[in-house]
Structures are given as structure tokens and as C-alpha cells.
Amino acid sequence: MNTRILLKGKDLLGIKDLSTEEIMLLLNSATSFKEILGRDIKKVPTLRGRTVVNLFFEPSTRTRTSFELAAKRLSTDVVNFSGPSSSIVKGESLLDTALTVQALGADLVIIRHSSSGVPHMLSRHLRASVINAGDGTNEHPTQALLDAFTILEKKGRIEGLRIAIVGDILHSRVAKSNIYCLRKLGAEVRLIGPATLLPRWFGEFEGVKVYHDLETGIEGADVIMMLRLQLERQGTGFFPTTDEYFKEWGLTKKKLSAAKPDAIVMHPGPMNRGIEIASEVADGPNSVILEQVTNGLAVRMAVMYHLEERKEE
Amino acid sequence: MPKQLLDKKEIDRTLTRISHEIIEKNKGTEGLCLVGIQRGGVHLAQRIARKIGETEGVEIPVGSLDISFYRDDIRIRKKQPTVSRTEIPCGVDDKKIILVDDVFFTGRSIRAAMDAIMDMGRPALVQLAILVDRGHRELPIRADYAGKNVPTSKAERVEVLLKEDGYEDGVVLLQPGEDVP
């Protein structure tokens, strides 16, 4: 008999806390959810009667929409609380907002916040499951899961692949979640970026190498993950101008030829075309950027499903 | 030793009879598609399809259906396999769908399977074939093709063991606490 694996924690706060088995459980189920997304009726009754609250304290369209749609595909009721339109601007504390949401009957609370650690703080005060949809510069676990799912779909495996993550590693929660995830799944991880945005200590992670030259770093890579240059999160002085950044770190067709011919190019979006990635690459044959968006739905459905599944009646 | 309800030969004969009944009731094989419910029904669906194919000289499409997302007990059942594949290569629209499961018990799995099928399209009809009917129905559902009827108590378990999963073919009745040999 096939004994069932369950997620250990009530929340999904980061990839750092997940075991390889838990990651694989989520990725396997995502395959089944993706099949549902290909049907005419893209909805299953699995979580009927549950309530999902999106608490977004930071501007986001695609992640919030993705979570909202994933929740609706599972037949939950979804409520959106976002920064500027709620009582947050009236001075209510973060915890009061979250407790209010819980009193409304939320089973799952999805939170994005510009400060690292906010989801962890809420998880200690809420009975509801907390899903981290991005906290400051810490983690963005569902992005890493959808990236891993996309790589598995395209390459059939992750173990032993050479995967390059390029750009503003320092400010990127996507990079951090991906480093944890890809290392747990056995990939060789290369980080590439200017020294100001990629401190040397990143090389202290086991199995992670640091490069400051794009073409050297992506040599022989199976996967290239481009990061968004987070102009809103940065101060000044990390690099001279965006033009110069593009010249050194922007991925063009010519530079891409250093990677394997069948390398896939990923980007978590939204893209800054002409800053970190050239349109010829973003729209080119190696790009899987739009498939990442579709896969995000499947992975988020899997996360919500497994968090609810482990709760006892 | 757990009590054996069916041995290898009896399973084979039962599946042969069911495959003939399916052909007879549907007046041939036009539009037939066998769909096994994960995990126990999938191998049985394949075996029945093979038998129908041999008799009629045609290839019968076989699909698999995972009902995890349609269950009414996601928070109650602790012991169930991880989510498996759903794959119905022929599609369900206008098809004669024969659902196949190993053990027919409360009827809740079949309810879930029917909902799942309906979400995929509009079949011409849905019929149900099962290997063992152990009673204790909780919903008004019956089988069109039934292998063996076995009176059981609610605490007992019926396990269908198949060579595809590395066992010798057989159906056993397990008492509480007893396990598959």
C-alpha cells in the first residue's frame, strides 16, 4: 500500500523549512491540477466551503491574481484585502487586520508584505494556515515551486542540472527560495550578478557558485533564471545606469549562446525588457516565461489542497 | 491467515464474465471506453478491456481517474495514496463510459467518480463494473456489472491484490488489525 505523505506544518512560510519529500509531494500533485486546468471546466469542488483571504500589503497583480484564481478553481470563496483600499491606511495594526480576517472565518491566509518575517509572525497568532506570497527580501516559496515544476516538466529532472540565477540576488526573495529549492532537489546552482547585488557570502551555500561575468556564469547551463531588477527596493549606487546594467548583465541572444542550445530561459515577471532581458530572448524559442504563469496556478492549487488536507475535522 | 474470497482463476473467470456482459448490454463495443478508478480499478479496467478486445477483435480505450479532488472526506481520511494521474485518452463526450473499481463499499467513491467524469464533458452513458461488492451502501448507487457479493462487517476490510502490483492475484477479507500477507 502506498502510505500517504502529508505536509508537516500548518503553514507554507518558506522552502527552507520543507523537506525534499514535501517539495516532491507538492510538485506531483501540481501535475494533476495542471490536467484540470486543461479541461473545459477548469474547476473542482475539492475545497468547497473554505474561505481564502488574500492579504496583500505590497503592490502585486500577477501573484495575487494567480492565488485568487487558484483558490477559485478549488471552489473556495476568496476575499481580497489589499493595501491602499483597506483599513490598513486607517492605522489598524497588521496583527489586528489579520485577526479580523480570521474572525471572518478564513481557513487560508495568503500574505505578501514588504518586511521579511511578517508571515512567520502572523502564523504564530493565527489558527488559519498562512501562505507566504513574498516577504521582503526573504522568501517567495510558491514562485520557487512553480519554477521547479516548470523545470521538471521541460527537463524531466532537476538533479544534476546546471541552473544559473542572474541579476539582483541581494534583494530577491525569488532567488533565495529558488536556491533552497534547487539545492534540496540536487541541482548545481550558479549565481550571477554585479558584486554590489551579489555579495560573496552567497558562495558559502553548499553547491552554490558565484560569478560576476554573465557569459562565464551561464556556460553550459541547462536553465537560466533571470530576475527582475527591483528598482523600487533598491537604494542608489548599486550600478551606474540601467543601460549599463543591460550591457553587462542583460540576457541577449548572443550571450545566451554560451548556455546549452536547449537551455530554457525563465523570468518570474514582471519583466523589465531591455534592462535585464532582451525582447528577442523573452519572446524567443528558449523562453518558458508564459508557461511559468500557467504552472503557478497548478502549484498554488497544490499548496492550498495539501495545507487543507492535513487539517483534522 | 486472512480468509481468501477469490483466487487467481476465479478473478480471471469473473473478469471474463463481466467483459461478456459489457459487450452484451451495450450491443457491441461502439463508443465504449473503460475508466479505472485510481488506484485499484486501473489494472482491472485494463484487463477487462483486453478481454473485450480479444473477443471482439477491436482495441478498447482505457483511461484512469483520480478522485482525490472530488472526495467528501479530504479531512477525514488519513490513509490514502497520494494524488495519481487522471488520463482519459478518448475524452468523455458522447462516449459510453464504463467505470471500473475493485471494491464497492459505501458508494462515495463512485459518486466522486461520476462528478469527476461530468466535469470533463457529457458522456452518452455511464455504467459501473466492480469486482467485489461488500455492501454497506450510503448512497443510492448500484453496479451494472458485479463480480462477487460478499457479506462483510463494517470493521472488516476487503483487499484486491493484483500481479501488476507485485502480488499473486487474489481477494482477501481482513479482520481489524490484520494486514496483507
Side-chain angles (χ1 to χ4, degrees):
Chain A
M1 276 283 118
N2 202 341
T3 356
R4 184 153 87 142
I5 314 161
L6 291 170
L7 290 182
K8 290 188 197 79
K10 88 172 167 66
D11 313 293
L12 178 69
L13 302 176
I15 301 291
K16 193 180 176 183
D17 318 313
L18 294 182
S19 67
T20 310
E21 290 72 35
E22 290 174 298
I23 294 172
M24 288 315 295
L25 171 72
L26 294 169
L27 298 182
N28 283 333
S29 298
T31 313
S32 298
F33 283 112
K34 190 162 182 188
E35 179 265 321
I36 290 164
L37 296 173
R39 294 180 189 172
D40 286 341
I41 301 172
K42 301 174 179 55
K43 195 173 179 126
V44 284
T46 320
L47 298 184
R48 202 169 41 194
R50 312 284 154 85
T51 304
V52 175
V53 176
N54 267 326
L55 267 182
F56 276 63
F57 294 91
E58 206 185 50
S60 160
T61 310
R62 55 183 66 217
T63 305
R64 190 184 55 74
T65 310
S66 179
F67 269 111
E68 184 175 346
L69 204 49
K72 286 179 171 168
R73 298 287 192 234
L74 290 167
S75 302
T76 65
D77 296 309
V78 191
V79 184
N80 289 313
F81 263 68
S82 29
S85 64
S86 70
S87 44
I88 298 155
V89 289
K90 298 178 189 163
E92 188 180 46
S93 85
L94 177 68
L95 187 56
D96 282 337
T97 305
L99 289 171
T100 304
V101 160
Q102 176 160 283
L104 289 169
D107 298 288
L108 289 159
V109 175
I110 295 156
I111 171 123
R112 166 167 288 194
H113 200 282
S114 56
S115 297
S116 304
V118 166
H120 308 69
M121 186 275 280
L122 289 185
S123 85
R124 289 193 294 274
H125 293 278
L126 297 182
R127 283 185 312 277
S129 294
V130 176
I131 301 177
N132 181 0
D135 63 324
T137 58
N138 178 41
E139 278 223 49
H140 189 354
T142 57
Q143 179 70 42
L145 291 169
L146 78 89
D147 288 341
F149 181 80
T150 306
I151 298 169
L152 270 180
E153 214 177 41
K154 293 287 160 191
K155 298 287 174 192
R157 68 187 167 104
I158 287 181
E159 195 169 359
L161 292 185
R162 180 174 290 178
I163 300 177
I165 307 178
V166 187
D168 180 0
I169 312 279
L170 180 63
H171 297 94
S172 176
R173 54 196 176 208
V174 173
K176 268 149 231 159
S177 286
N178 262 312
I179 295 169
Y180 289 125
C181 187
L182 296 171
R183 282 303 302 145
K184 285 179 196 229
L185 299 176
E188 174 198 339
V189 176
R190 293 179 163 205
L191 305 177
I192 307 162
T196 48
L197 295 171
L198 173 51
R200 207 169 279 284
W201 54 263
F202 272 96
E204 288 166 21
F205 282 99
E206 200 206 320
V208 176
K209 281 195 197 114
V210 168
Y211 294 83
H212 298 298
D213 177 71
L214 181 60
E215 280 170 283
T216 319
I218 65 172
E219 198 186 337
D222 299 283
V223 178
I224 304 171
M225 297 180 158
M226 301 306 296
L227 298 173
R228 188 171 63 87
L229 203 55
Q230 307 203 36
L231 300 165
E232 77 281 7
R233 228 180 279 287
Q234 294 168 357
T236 49
F238 287 101
F239 52 88
T241 63
T242 52
D243 279 350
E244 226 159 311
Y245 182 87
F246 181 69
K247 218 174 122 201
E248 287 293 320
W249 315 105
L251 189 63
T252 58
K253 208 170 150 186
K254 185 170 166 284
K255 287 183 182 154
L256 178 60
S257 63
K260 284 198 183 148
D262 64 347
I264 55 170
V265 176
M266 308 173 79
H267 194 296
M271 283 184 280
N272 296 310
R273 285 172 186 262
I275 297 180
E276 70 255 359
I277 189 165
S279 283
E280 57 181 9
V281 175
D283 308 324
N286 302 69
S287 167
V288 296
I289 294 169
L290 290 173
E291 284 164 81
Q292 286 173 268
V293 178
T294 313
N295 291 342
L297 277 176
V299 160
R300 289 176 179 120
M301 286 171 83
V303 168
M304 289 188 245
Y305 170 73
H306 284 292
L307 286 176
E308 279 303 299
E309 179 200 39
R310 63 175 291 290
K311 293 180 185 172
E312 291 194 45
E313 196 80 323
Chain B
M1 271 303 276
K3 188 181 165 195
Q4 183 149 44
L5 302 172
L6 290 173
D7 65 17
K8 184 170 181 248
K9 270 226 166 85
E10 288 166 323
I11 289 179
D12 193 57
R13 285 194 202 109
T14 305
L15 295 179
T16 306
R17 170 171 59 79
I18 289 175
S19 65
H20 287 135
E21 286 177 0
I22 291 173
I23 303 168
E24 187 187 7
K25 183 162 180 161
N26 293 288
K27 300 183 172 64
T29 59
E30 182 73 37
L32 272 194
C33 175
L34 269 66
V35 175
I37 299 176
Q38 292 277 15
R39 294 172 25 101
V42 178
H43 297 315
L44 293 176
Q46 280 157 350
R47 290 196 197 184
I48 295 171
R50 213 175 305 131
K51 286 178 185 291
I52 297 175
E54 281 163 15
T55 312
E56 296 288 298
V58 288
E59 196 162 322
I60 305 294
V62 183
S64 63
L65 183 65
D66 185 280
I67 54 165
S68 307
F69 305 146
Y70 290 86
R71 305 200 65 95
D72 55 10
D73 57 359
I74 108 162
R75 284 184 179 179
I76 304 171
R77 282 178 50 132
K78 279 283 157 183
K79 198 186 168 189
Q80 63 172 288
T82 48
V83 180
S84 314
R85 270 325 108 75
T86 291
E87 210 167 17
I88 302 183
C90 55
V92 303
D93 283 335
D94 302 319
K95 289 289 184 319
K96 295 178 182 172
I97 301 291
I98 317 288
L99 286 174
V100 181
D101 206 358
D102 52 358
V103 181
F104 194 20
F105 187 24
T106 61
R108 288 180 190 265
S109 304
I110 308 302
R111 194 280 307 160
M114 287 195 288
D115 282 352
I117 292 285
M118 294 304 169
D119 272 3
M120 284 180 242
R122 188 182 188 282
L125 58 82
V126 178
Q127 295 171 350
L128 173 62
I130 52 100
L131 183 61
V132 182
D133 183 349
R134 57 168 296 190
H136 304 289
R137 217 76 73 233
E138 292 169 5
L139 293 169
I141 293 173
R142 57 161 185 79
D144 299 271
Y145 316 99
K148 189 179 171 67
N149 287 297
V150 186
T152 60
S153 81
K154 263 197 150 176
E156 290 170 324
R157 273 161 49 219
V158 175
E159 291 284 352
V160 175
L161 308 171
L162 297 174
K163 68 167 188 291
E164 288 92 333
D165 292 319
Y167 298 99
E168 166 124 13
D169 279 2
V171 178
V172 290
L173 182 68
L174 301 172
Q175 299 305 318
E178 223 175 0
D179 234 322
V180 174

